[in-house]
Amino acid sequence: MSAPRVPDGYDPSAFTPFAVTVDLAVFTVRHGRLHVLLVERGLEPYRGAWALPGGFVLPRESAGQAARRELAEETGLSERTAGALHLEQLRTYSDPDRDPRMRVVSVAYAALVPDLPEPRGGGDAALARWTDLSRVLRPGTPGPSGSTAPPADGLVPLAFDHGDILADAYDRIGAKLEYSCLATAFCPPEFTLAELRQVYETVWGVELDGPNFRRKVLATPGFVQAVDGPPRRTGAPGKPAALYRAGAATTLHPPLLRPEGRTA
Amino acid sequence: MSAPRVPDGYDPSAFTPFAVTVDLAVFTVRHGRLHVLLVERGLEPYRGAWALPGGFVLPRESAGQAARRELAEETGLSERTAGALHLEQLRTYSDPDRDPRMRVVSVAYAALVPDLPEPRGGGDAALARWTDLSRVLRPGTPGPSGSTAPPADGLVPLAFDHGDILADAYDRIGAKLEYSCLATAFCPPEFTLAELRQVYETVWGVELDGPNFRRKVLATPGFVQAVDGPPRRTGAPGKPAALYRAGAATTLHPPLLRPEGRTA
DNA sequence: ACAATAGTGTCTATCAGACATTATCAG
DNA sequence: CTGATAATGTCTGATAGACACTATTGT
């Protein structure tokens, strides 16, 4: 609760001080594979290990504002551009021992961005790299496994409990694709239905039927919006595809369920 | 992030100290209506106003542990009994001005409990009351409205941003009923399908067709599990109903969508 | 011409919703 | 018997998935 509702006589200022940070799981689709933005740690502990980008919440900031600021810093984008990206609070991690130095609770956010150039911002962003998710996470990972991720097989281990956070984030966006218009956040402002379909296929790791996907998407009012301009594009063989923009809708009714009921 | 990944030379101990609390939105179904557990504040600010139960996270506790401890205290149940109740992290509220006295971030949890006796625990629980949700929240509330809830029409205003938290919690459980087995958490250990159906009807505010509901629930493996004992119950007229227990499944595939696509 | 991709049309098994029917209780 | 509730069965319109087919491009 905001105000400690405590028995009268209790000292309301006797609270335990915590540090509060935000951690970001920034996803994008590159070359048909899901990637996540990671930074290399320059300080102990976990020096040299990979971690999710993030940082402290400042004295006059909400966690959401801190997350958006960090997102702009780490991607090297302007605050204005980063402000348009999809950012969503995931959950908060508060295990007393998640940071060996002090008591830190971290509010995790998931961000979805279209395919961006390699991060080349100043300062922190210089250490940031897009990493293929399969190098960090096994697709079949049960998600919120026990505590800090164990050094699994060929995977790159992440600092702190960031492996757990990343697994949770991956689960969440996979589930949200089913009942929200979120997939458009992975696409550039104008996109083809094939590109949109590939977002689903990449995140879910399945193949979808083109015609059926088209029918479903176009039947959902407000999901996408046709661009009337010249209906062509790309220099590849095949019939040119029509372009669409993200529509006004935010949720899908009914949902676009992934094949084989695996929500786990 | 857990560890501040900051430029070398920055002092990692120069973090802003926050107080961290948990707030609980505890729901139950009483007399066919959705109720929420509220406490009356005995201290300023918002003295005498109603608020969600909650309290500080202790030095060696996770937020989840704190939420479970508070749940036990406020409901007057034993830690053991409360440990079996459904408790789920909602999101974290961190507006810098959400508490006028100091910087407090609060991790909100939603708890679902079967119909319990009026809370009569010691201390804090003495101030707790089950309150009909319609006295606090308009069903058509857009949920995460702007900032702290304005003094709406005939509604009881809540302290701090607890009106927003409660609206978010209500949205969440309504949505979760669609794709999870959560509804059984509102029921006693053994329940009839009519009781389970009434949970959906109460939370969604709709009427469902009995036979179709039955068909759908029984067709979902692991949702409910028949109790082989005497298939009777209650002293009311009508054919006695068979009893069921919650099954092993946790998610529903495919989901049980509420009528009239209103997820908003 | 051929391969490749976009888009249209069709068929079918399945499912949700509506509702009739039967079974079993209390009074 | 009457009213109420549980449980079963039936029908129908909508939908998802599979897939054939046409249209338009690059090579």
Side-chain angles (χ1 to χ4, degrees), chain B:
Chain B
M1 79 200 276
S2 311
R5 179 206 28 65
V6 289
D8 293 41
Y10 182 93
D11 178 8
S13 69
F15 64 90
T16 315
F18 291 77
V20 177
T21 61
V22 292
D23 283 313
L24 270 61
V26 187
F27 293 101
T28 196
V29 174
R30 309 192 100 191
H31 321 302
R33 302 191 59 82
L34 193 59
H35 285 65
V36 63
L37 192 65
L38 295 180
V39 298
E40 193 175 354
R41 287 184 52 78
L43 297 174
E44 291 296 340
Y46 297 101
R47 180 183 188 124
W50 292 93
L52 299 177
F56 285 119
V57 176
L58 300 181
R60 293 295 306 162
E61 250 181 354
S62 69
Q65 290 165 346
R68 196 155 300 277
R69 173 176 51 77
E70 293 287 342
L71 179 60
E73 290 176 8
E74 306 287 354
T75 57
L77 297 173
S78 69
E79 292 253 3
R80 206 179 122 67
T81 310
L85 300 177
H86 181 87
L87 189 61
E88 167 178 332
Q89 190 182 123
L90 251 189
R91 49 161 294 187
T92 293
Y93 296 81
S94 59
D95 187 273
D97 301 311
R98 61 182 296 278
D99 189 307
R101 297 162 302 175
M102 55 182 171
R103 191 66 206 269
V104 180
V105 307
S106 183
V107 186
Y109 285 78
L112 305 188
V113 306
D115 197 352
L116 295 173
E118 201 66 26
R120 287 289 170 216
D124 301 345
L127 295 170
R129 294 285 182 277
W130 289 114
T131 308
D132 191 312
L133 192 66
S134 66
R135 295 169 54 85
V136 191
L137 207 67
R138 278 288 164 259
T141 293
S145 52
S147 48
T148 301
D153 28 50
L155 298 183
V156 176
L158 297 187
F160 305 104
D161 52 2
H162 290 189
D164 292 334
I165 297 177
L166 185 57
D168 288 348
Y170 175 60
D171 281 356
R172 172 79 73 94
I173 64 166
K176 274 212 98 169
L177 285 191
E178 290 189 324
Y179 59 93
S180 75
C181 301
L182 196 52
T184 56
F186 279 111
C187 297
E190 298 192 344
F191 52 87
T192 69
L193 291 185
E195 289 170 345
L196 184 64
R197 175 164 52 88
Q198 217 209 348
V199 169
Y200 281 90
E201 293 177 333
T202 302
V203 175
W204 287 347
V206 298
E207 290 220 337
L208 299 178
D209 181 81
N212 292 335
F213 180 81
R214 170 189 205 75
R215 180 157 41 91
K216 175 75 180 174
V217 169
L218 296 181
T220 303
F223 191 177
V224 297
Q225 175 187 350
V227 172
D228 49 319
R232 44 171 44 254
R233 207 187 194 196
T234 134
K239 182 175 176 177
L243 292 178
Y244 296 86
R245 279 190 233 275
T250 158
T251 57
L252 257 43
H253 267 272
L256 202 157
L257 298 177
R258 72 187 101 180
E260 284 311 286
R262 56 173 292 263
T263 298

